[in-house]
Amino acid sequence: MALLLSVVLLCGVADFTRSLSITTPEQMIEKAKGETAYLPCKFTLGAEDQGPLDIEWLLSPADNQKVDQVIILYSGDKIYDDYYQDLKGRVHFTSSDLKSGDASINVTNLQLSDIGTYQCKVKKAPGVGNKKIQLTVLVKPSGTRCYVDGSEEIGNDFKLKCEPKEGSLPLRYEWQKLSNSQKLPTSWLAEMNSPAISVKNATTEYSGTYSCTVKNRVGSDQCLLRLDVVPPSNRAGTIAGAVIGILLALVLIGLIVFCCHKKRREKKYEKEVHHDIREDVPPPKSRTSTARSYMGSNHSSLGSMSPSNMEGYSKTQYNQVPSEDFERAPQSPTLAPAKFKYAYETDGITVV
């Protein structure tokens, strides 16, 4: 009897010490990047919990390289939400009256760096409680592109490909034919849930519009593909046309090079001729000035001669004048013939 009474008293003490409790269960939440995550944390208080109410949210990053970070705090009837720089301005309490028993928060504009374990701690002395929530941020498939890898000709082998630009794994693919018979070849069925479909020995029956839908746990994306299987093209004609085009291009390039080279040679020749003209050689004297200077020198010498040797000197000197220069000397109409004066003495008489 005494043992039973002791057990009852111990249970009562246990209930007394655990009067504060968080009713929200631990859970895992998956959200897409850019969305808002609601992290619940609801609690109840006992009559004996009379201390001040303190609420604290902590984040344990997924890389385990950072210590637990306080991201938002309620203490002394005030809210502090600037503890963690990466979440500053993006984490808020959902309730305006935290004493009502709701300490839930919203994390807006989710980023991949927000992945981790969030812990809600509530304290109102003497009661204390905490719960953990695992948050995973995934990226929706987006920017999906459908295309044909190969030549869409009858008898050829090629692939239909579906590639999203981004998206968290695992990804699921679904191919559908939207036009014509909408019946897919039997050989394609095994690849209808893969990112690529291999087409063997293509026929015109494969032509049509196809859709590819990419999905993961947080979203989906779709692209369309138009397939037109056509008869083989005239490859010989195409090759011949390409060869002719290349030859014409080479001829055109050759003509341009030849013209440029010719023009350069002409400029070089003109430059060489210009440098051959010597600027330090004076121009030749005119024949008129030569004849005049020659006559002037003779005229100056005549005045100093005596009559005895005048006759011999005049014959000799005038015979030395170059006939060509003298004959071509221009005659000035205003120039009068020169008069020569001389004096000699005969029989004691001076004659002028």
Side-chain angles (χ1 to χ4, degrees), residues 340-345 349-352:
F340 300 97
K341 293 182 180 183
Y342 59 93
Y344 64 93
E345 184 178 349
I349 300 173
T350 300
V351 180
V352 180

Side-chain angles (χ1 to χ4, degrees), residues 191-207:
E191 298 179 314
M192 294 308 296
N193 298 113
S194 66
I197 295 178
S198 299
V199 179
K200 304 292 185 180
N201 192 21
T203 66
T204 55
E205 296 179 356
Y206 296 166
S207 297

Side-chain angles (χ1 to χ4, degrees), residues 287 290-291 294-295 298 317-329:
R287 294 176 179 177
T290 304
Y294 182 81
M295 292 177 64
N298 288 339
Q317 295 296 326
Y318 277 97
N319 289 337
Q320 293 177 358
V321 178
S323 60
E324 182 180 359
D325 293 343
F326 185 77
E327 291 174 0
R328 294 184 181 182

Side-chain angles (χ1 to χ4, degrees), residues 275-294:
H275 284 294
D276 286 344
I277 300 175
R278 298 180 57 187
E279 297 180 356
D280 57 341
V281 178
K285 294 182 179 181
S286 64
R287 294 176 179 177
T288 303
S289 61
T290 304
R292 288 181 179 178
S293 62
Y294 182 81

Side-chain angles (χ1 to χ4, degrees), residues 160-189:
L160 308 183
K161 290 191 173 182
C162 178
E163 295 179 353
K165 186 176 181 180
E166 60 179 3
S168 297
L169 300 176
L171 295 173
R172 302 189 306 275
Y173 297 85
E174 294 180 4
W175 286 91
Q176 288 183 333
K177 189 175 183 181
L178 306 178
S179 61
N180 298 344
S181 64
Q182 298 186 356
K183 184 179 181 180
L184 297 172
T186 305
S187 59
W188 291 18
L189 296 180

Side-chain angles (χ1 to χ4, degrees), residues 244-273:
I244 294 174
I246 293 173
L247 292 177
L248 290 177
L250 292 175
V251 171
L252 180 60
I253 294 173
L255 289 175
I256 294 174
V257 172
F258 174 76
C259 293
C260 293
H261 182 66
K262 183 178 179 183
K263 190 172 182 180
R264 187 179 300 173
R265 288 183 59 188
E266 291 177 353
K267 288 184 178 180
K268 184 177 180 182
Y269 175 76
E270 292 177 358
K271 189 174 182 180
E272 291 176 353
V273 171

